[in-house]
PDB file of all heavy atoms in Angstrom:
ATOM      1  N   LEU A   1       0.823  -1.154  -0.001  1.00  0.00           N
ATOM      2  CA  LEU A   1       0.027   0.064   0.005  1.00  0.00           C
ATOM      3  C   LEU A   1       0.913   1.260   0.016  1.00  0.00           C
ATOM      4  O   LEU A   1       0.598   2.205  -0.713  1.00  0.00           O
ATOM      5  CB  LEU A   1      -0.893   0.006   1.219  1.00  0.00           C
ATOM      6  CG  LEU A   1      -2.245  -0.799   1.174  1.00  0.00           C
ATOM      7  CD1 LEU A   1      -3.009  -0.732   2.445  1.00  0.00           C
ATOM      8  CD2 LEU A   1      -3.060  -0.301   0.073  1.00  0.00           C
ATOM      9  N   GLU A   2       1.894   1.249   0.803  1.00  0.00           N
ATOM     10  CA  GLU A   2       2.744   2.415   0.863  1.00  0.00           C
ATOM     11  C   GLU A   2       3.528   2.666  -0.456  1.00  0.00           C
ATOM     12  O   GLU A   2       3.615   3.764  -0.914  1.00  0.00           O
ATOM     13  CB  GLU A   2       3.861   2.195   2.001  1.00  0.00           C
ATOM     14  CG  GLU A   2       3.223   2.308   3.371  1.00  0.00           C
ATOM     15  CD  GLU A   2       4.193   1.993   4.475  1.00  0.00           C
ATOM     16  OE1 GLU A   2       5.297   1.386   4.186  1.00  0.00           O
ATOM     17  OE2 GLU A   2       3.952   2.307   5.673  1.00  0.00           O
ATOM     18  N   ALA A   3       3.912   1.505  -1.027  1.00  0.00           N
ATOM     19  CA  ALA A   3       4.605   1.638  -2.314  1.00  0.00           C
ATOM     20  C   ALA A   3       3.671   2.197  -3.431  1.00  0.00           C
ATOM     21  O   ALA A   3       4.079   3.025  -4.246  1.00  0.00           O
ATOM     22  CB  ALA A   3       5.205   0.308  -2.790  1.00  0.00           C
ATOM     23  N   ASP A   4       2.422   1.690  -3.438  1.00  0.00           N
ATOM     24  CA  ASP A   4       1.495   2.176  -4.448  1.00  0.00           C
ATOM     25  C   ASP A   4       1.157   3.607  -4.235  1.00  0.00           C
ATOM     26  O   ASP A   4       1.086   4.385  -5.231  1.00  0.00           O
ATOM     27  CB  ASP A   4       0.175   1.328  -4.306  1.00  0.00           C
ATOM     28  CG  ASP A   4       0.326  -0.101  -4.782  1.00  0.00           C
ATOM     29  OD1 ASP A   4       1.314  -0.429  -5.465  1.00  0.00           O
ATOM     30  OD2 ASP A   4      -0.583  -0.886  -4.502  1.00  0.00           O
ATOM     31  N   ALA A   5       1.025   4.013  -2.975  1.00  0.00           N
ATOM     32  CA  ALA A   5       0.728   5.456  -2.692  1.00  0.00           C
ATOM     33  C   ALA A   5       1.922   6.346  -3.116  1.00  0.00           C
ATOM     34  O   ALA A   5       1.727   7.427  -3.692  1.00  0.00           O
ATOM     35  CB  ALA A   5       0.462   5.651  -1.186  1.00  0.00           C
ATOM     36  N   GLU A   6       3.177   5.824  -2.915  1.00  0.00           N
ATOM     37  CA  GLU A   6       4.289   6.595  -3.301  1.00  0.00           C
ATOM     38  C   GLU A   6       4.352   6.699  -4.856  1.00  0.00           C
ATOM     39  O   GLU A   6       4.735   7.776  -5.359  1.00  0.00           O
ATOM     40  CB  GLU A   6       5.600   5.956  -2.757  1.00  0.00           C
ATOM     41  CG  GLU A   6       6.930   6.540  -3.203  1.00  0.00           C
ATOM     42  CD  GLU A   6       7.086   7.985  -2.567  1.00  0.00           C
ATOM     43  OE1 GLU A   6       6.439   8.319  -1.601  1.00  0.00           O
ATOM     44  OE2 GLU A   6       7.795   8.781  -3.177  1.00  0.00           O
ATOM     45  N   ALA A   7       4.045   5.629  -5.510  1.00  0.00           N
ATOM     46  CA  ALA A   7       4.062   5.660  -6.996  1.00  0.00           C
ATOM     47  C   ALA A   7       3.026   6.671  -7.508  1.00  0.00           C
ATOM     48  O   ALA A   7       3.327   7.393  -8.476  1.00  0.00           O
ATOM     49  CB  ALA A   7       3.760   4.256  -7.597  1.00  0.00           C
ATOM     50  N   VAL A   8       1.842   6.724  -6.899  1.00  0.00           N
ATOM     51  CA  VAL A   8       0.827   7.691  -7.380  1.00  0.00           C
ATOM     52  C   VAL A   8       1.300   9.111  -7.135  1.00  0.00           C
ATOM     53  O   VAL A   8       1.150   9.983  -7.971  1.00  0.00           O
ATOM     54  CB  VAL A   8      -0.493   7.414  -6.594  1.00  0.00           C
ATOM     55  CG1 VAL A   8      -1.441   8.524  -6.792  1.00  0.00           C
ATOM     56  CG2 VAL A   8      -1.090   6.064  -7.035  1.00  0.00           C
ATOM     57  N   MET A   9       1.937   9.392  -6.034  1.00  0.00           N
ATOM     58  CA  MET A   9       2.470  10.680  -5.739  1.00  0.00           C
ATOM     59  C   MET A   9       3.571  11.026  -6.714  1.00  0.00           C
ATOM     60  O   MET A   9       3.635  12.168  -7.122  1.00  0.00           O
ATOM     61  CB  MET A   9       2.954  10.770  -4.268  1.00  0.00           C
ATOM     62  CG  MET A   9       1.863  10.730  -3.278  1.00  0.00           C
ATOM     63  SD  MET A   9       2.290  11.061  -1.543  1.00  0.00           S
ATOM     64  CE  MET A   9       3.956  10.781  -1.321  1.00  0.00           C
ATOM     65  N   GLN A  10       4.431  10.171  -7.042  1.00  0.00           N
ATOM     66  CA  GLN A  10       5.565  10.422  -7.982  1.00  0.00           C
ATOM     67  C   GLN A  10       5.002  10.638  -9.373  1.00  0.00           C
ATOM     68  O   GLN A  10       5.412  11.528 -10.097  1.00  0.00           O
ATOM     69  CB  GLN A  10       6.502   9.263  -7.974  1.00  0.00           C
ATOM     70  CG  GLN A  10       7.358   9.141  -6.773  1.00  0.00           C
ATOM     71  CD  GLN A  10       8.452   8.047  -6.772  1.00  0.00           C
ATOM     72  OE1 GLN A  10       8.408   7.210  -7.777  1.00  0.00           O
ATOM     73  NE2 GLN A  10       9.199   7.935  -5.805  1.00  0.00           N
ATOM     74  N   GLU A  11       3.977   9.900  -9.753  1.00  0.00           N
ATOM     75  CA  GLU A  11       3.301  10.132 -11.063  1.00  0.00           C
ATOM     76  C   GLU A  11       2.681  11.576 -11.103  1.00  0.00           C
ATOM     77  O   GLU A  11       2.765  12.225 -12.143  1.00  0.00           O
ATOM     78  CB  GLU A  11       2.281   9.077 -11.388  1.00  0.00           C
ATOM     79  CG  GLU A  11       2.858   7.685 -11.679  1.00  0.00           C
ATOM     80  CD  GLU A  11       1.828   6.646 -11.873  1.00  0.00           C
ATOM     81  OE1 GLU A  11       0.599   6.952 -12.144  1.00  0.00           O
ATOM     82  OE2 GLU A  11       2.168   5.432 -11.751  1.00  0.00           O
ATOM     83  N   ALA A  12       2.039  11.949 -10.049  1.00  0.00           N
ATOM     84  CA  ALA A  12       1.397  13.198  -9.996  1.00  0.00           C
ATOM     85  C   ALA A  12       2.404  14.297 -10.096  1.00  0.00           C
ATOM     86  O   ALA A  12       2.267  15.352 -10.769  1.00  0.00           O
ATOM     87  CB  ALA A  12       0.518  13.404  -8.715  1.00  0.00           C
ATOM     88  N   ALA A  13       3.521  14.251  -9.367  1.00  0.00           N
ATOM     89  CA  ALA A  13       4.577  15.215  -9.390  1.00  0.00           C
ATOM     90  C   ALA A  13       5.188  15.266 -10.770  1.00  0.00           C
ATOM     91  O   ALA A  13       5.463  16.356 -11.275  1.00  0.00           O
ATOM     92  CB  ALA A  13       5.676  14.816  -8.334  1.00  0.00           C
ATOM     93  N   ALA A  14       5.373  14.117 -11.440  1.00  0.00           N
ATOM     94  CA  ALA A  14       5.929  14.113 -12.777  1.00  0.00           C
ATOM     95  C   ALA A  14       4.951  14.846 -13.739  1.00  0.00           C
ATOM     96  O   ALA A  14       5.452  15.581 -14.621  1.00  0.00           O
ATOM     97  CB  ALA A  14       6.233  12.687 -13.213  1.00  0.00           C
ATOM     98  N   GLU A  15       3.709  14.595 -13.565  1.00  0.00           N
ATOM     99  CA  GLU A  15       2.708  15.201 -14.439  1.00  0.00           C
ATOM    100  C   GLU A  15       2.728  16.724 -14.210  1.00  0.00           C
ATOM    101  O   GLU A  15       2.623  17.536 -15.220  1.00  0.00           O
ATOM    102  CB  GLU A  15       1.340  14.667 -14.191  1.00  0.00           C
ATOM    103  CG  GLU A  15       0.197  15.325 -14.939  1.00  0.00           C
ATOM    104  CD  GLU A  15       0.368  15.172 -16.492  1.00  0.00           C
ATOM    105  OE1 GLU A  15       1.055  14.199 -16.919  1.00  0.00           O
ATOM    106  OE2 GLU A  15      -0.245  15.864 -17.246  1.00  0.00           O
ATOM    107  N   GLN A  16       2.823  17.168 -12.988  1.00  0.00           N
ATOM    108  CA  GLN A  16       2.904  18.601 -12.717  1.00  0.00           C
ATOM    109  C   GLN A  16       4.183  19.260 -13.368  1.00  0.00           C
ATOM    110  O   GLN A  16       4.105  20.337 -13.889  1.00  0.00           O
ATOM    111  CB  GLN A  16       2.916  18.880 -11.204  1.00  0.00           C
ATOM    112  CG  GLN A  16       1.645  18.641 -10.508  1.00  0.00           C
ATOM    113  CD  GLN A  16       1.685  18.854  -9.011  1.00  0.00           C
ATOM    114  OE1 GLN A  16       2.752  18.869  -8.410  1.00  0.00           O
ATOM    115  NE2 GLN A  16       0.504  18.943  -8.346  1.00  0.00           N
ATOM    116  N   ARG A  17       5.324  18.511 -13.283  1.00  0.00           N
ATOM    117  CA  ARG A  17       6.485  19.032 -13.915  1.00  0.00           C
ATOM    118  C   ARG A  17       6.373  19.151 -15.403  1.00  0.00           C
ATOM    119  O   ARG A  17       6.845  20.131 -16.042  1.00  0.00           O
ATOM    120  CB  ARG A  17       7.746  18.118 -13.483  1.00  0.00           C
ATOM    121  CG  ARG A  17       8.223  18.337 -12.047  1.00  0.00           C
ATOM    122  CD  ARG A  17       9.527  17.632 -11.820  1.00  0.00           C
ATOM    123  NE  ARG A  17       9.523  16.196 -12.060  1.00  0.00           N
ATOM    124  CZ  ARG A  17       9.119  15.250 -11.195  1.00  0.00           C
ATOM    125  NH1 ARG A  17       8.735  15.572  -9.980  1.00  0.00           N
ATOM    126  NH2 ARG A  17       9.154  13.935 -11.609  1.00  0.00           N
ATOM    127  N   ARG A  18       5.716  18.111 -16.011  1.00  0.00           N
ATOM    128  CA  ARG A  18       5.522  18.105 -17.425  1.00  0.00           C
ATOM    129  C   ARG A  18       4.636  19.310 -17.899  1.00  0.00           C
ATOM    130  O   ARG A  18       4.920  20.013 -18.768  1.00  0.00           O
ATOM    131  CB  ARG A  18       4.902  16.856 -17.857  1.00  0.00           C
ATOM    132  CG  ARG A  18       4.767  16.648 -19.404  1.00  0.00           C
ATOM    133  CD  ARG A  18       3.963  15.416 -19.773  1.00  0.00           C
ATOM    134  NE  ARG A  18       2.588  15.541 -19.300  1.00  0.00           N
ATOM    135  CZ  ARG A  18       1.603  16.235 -19.891  1.00  0.00           C
ATOM    136  NH1 ARG A  18       1.916  17.088 -20.851  1.00  0.00           N
ATOM    137  NH2 ARG A  18       0.424  16.281 -19.356  1.00  0.00           N
ATOM    138  N   GLN A  19       3.555  19.485 -17.139  1.00  0.00           N
ATOM    139  CA  GLN A  19       2.655  20.640 -17.380  1.00  0.00           C
ATOM    140  C   GLN A  19       3.370  22.025 -17.289  1.00  0.00           C
ATOM    141  O   GLN A  19       3.145  22.862 -18.061  1.00  0.00           O
ATOM    142  CB  GLN A  19       1.420  20.558 -16.533  1.00  0.00           C
ATOM    143  CG  GLN A  19       0.468  19.441 -16.938  1.00  0.00           C
ATOM    144  CD  GLN A  19      -0.719  19.327 -16.025  1.00  0.00           C
ATOM    145  OE1 GLN A  19      -0.848  20.062 -15.070  1.00  0.00           O
ATOM    146  NE2 GLN A  19      -1.624  18.407 -16.239  1.00  0.00           N
ATOM    147  N   ALA A  20       4.167  22.115 -16.187  1.00  0.00           N
ATOM    148  CA  ALA A  20       4.912  23.363 -15.976  1.00  0.00           C
ATOM    149  C   ALA A  20       5.918  23.605 -17.166  1.00  0.00           C
ATOM    150  O   ALA A  20       6.011  24.780 -17.584  1.00  0.00           O
ATOM    151  CB  ALA A  20       5.620  23.299 -14.656  1.00  0.00           C
ATOM    152  N   ALA A  21       6.577  22.580 -17.553  1.00  0.00           N
ATOM    153  CA  ALA A  21       7.484  22.678 -18.707  1.00  0.00           C
ATOM    154  C   ALA A  21       6.767  23.039 -19.969  1.00  0.00           C
ATOM    155  O   ALA A  21       7.246  23.874 -20.741  1.00  0.00           O
ATOM    156  CB  ALA A  21       8.296  21.385 -18.949  1.00  0.00           C
ATOM    157  N   GLU A  22       5.564  22.516 -20.228  1.00  0.00           N
ATOM    158  CA  GLU A  22       4.763  22.869 -21.362  1.00  0.00           C
ATOM    159  C   GLU A  22       4.378  24.377 -21.356  1.00  0.00           C
ATOM    160  O   GLU A  22       4.430  25.033 -22.307  1.00  0.00           O
ATOM    161  CB  GLU A  22       3.599  21.999 -21.551  1.00  0.00           C
ATOM    162  CG  GLU A  22       3.832  20.602 -21.968  1.00  0.00           C
ATOM    163  CD  GLU A  22       2.574  19.709 -21.977  1.00  0.00           C
ATOM    164  OE1 GLU A  22       1.501  20.206 -21.663  1.00  0.00           O
ATOM    165  OE2 GLU A  22       2.676  18.511 -22.430  1.00  0.00           O
ATOM    166  N   GLN A  23       4.009  24.842 -20.069  1.00  0.00           N
ATOM    167  CA  GLN A  23       3.554  26.191 -19.911  1.00  0.00           C
ATOM    168  C   GLN A  23       4.771  27.161 -20.236  1.00  0.00           C
ATOM    169  O   GLN A  23       4.591  28.222 -20.825  1.00  0.00           O
ATOM    170  CB  GLN A  23       3.014  26.405 -18.582  1.00  0.00           C
ATOM    171  CG  GLN A  23       1.606  25.763 -18.371  1.00  0.00           C
ATOM    172  CD  GLN A  23       1.140  25.920 -16.953  1.00  0.00           C
ATOM    173  OE1 GLN A  23       1.828  26.308 -16.042  1.00  0.00           O
ATOM    174  NE2 GLN A  23      -0.178  25.519 -16.790  1.00  0.00           N
ATOM    175  N   ARG A  24       5.887  26.827 -19.646  1.00  0.00           N
ATOM    176  CA  ARG A  24       7.153  27.596 -19.953  1.00  0.00           C
ATOM    177  C   ARG A  24       7.460  27.688 -21.375  1.00  0.00           C
ATOM    178  O   ARG A  24       7.811  28.703 -21.909  1.00  0.00           O
ATOM    179  CB  ARG A  24       8.282  27.043 -19.120  1.00  0.00           C
ATOM    180  CG  ARG A  24       8.197  27.393 -17.612  1.00  0.00           C
ATOM    181  CD  ARG A  24       9.522  27.129 -16.863  1.00  0.00           C
ATOM    182  NE  ARG A  24       9.950  25.670 -17.080  1.00  0.00           N
ATOM    183  CZ  ARG A  24       9.636  24.719 -16.264  1.00  0.00           C
ATOM    184  NH1 ARG A  24       8.793  24.927 -15.208  1.00  0.00           N
ATOM    185  NH2 ARG A  24      10.072  23.469 -16.466  1.00  0.00           N
ATOM    186  N   ALA A  25       7.356  26.522 -22.047  1.00  0.00           N
ATOM    187  CA  ALA A  25       7.604  26.483 -23.476  1.00  0.00           C
ATOM    188  C   ALA A  25       6.679  27.329 -24.266  1.00  0.00           C
ATOM    189  O   ALA A  25       7.068  27.967 -25.173  1.00  0.00           O
ATOM    190  CB  ALA A  25       7.629  25.049 -23.961  1.00  0.00           C
TER     191      ALA A  25
END
């Protein structure tokens, strides 16, 4: 459960970084 929750948080953080990069571009 902890590993799954961590994976979800990492995916969300990666998505936020991707969106921020797109906005900057």
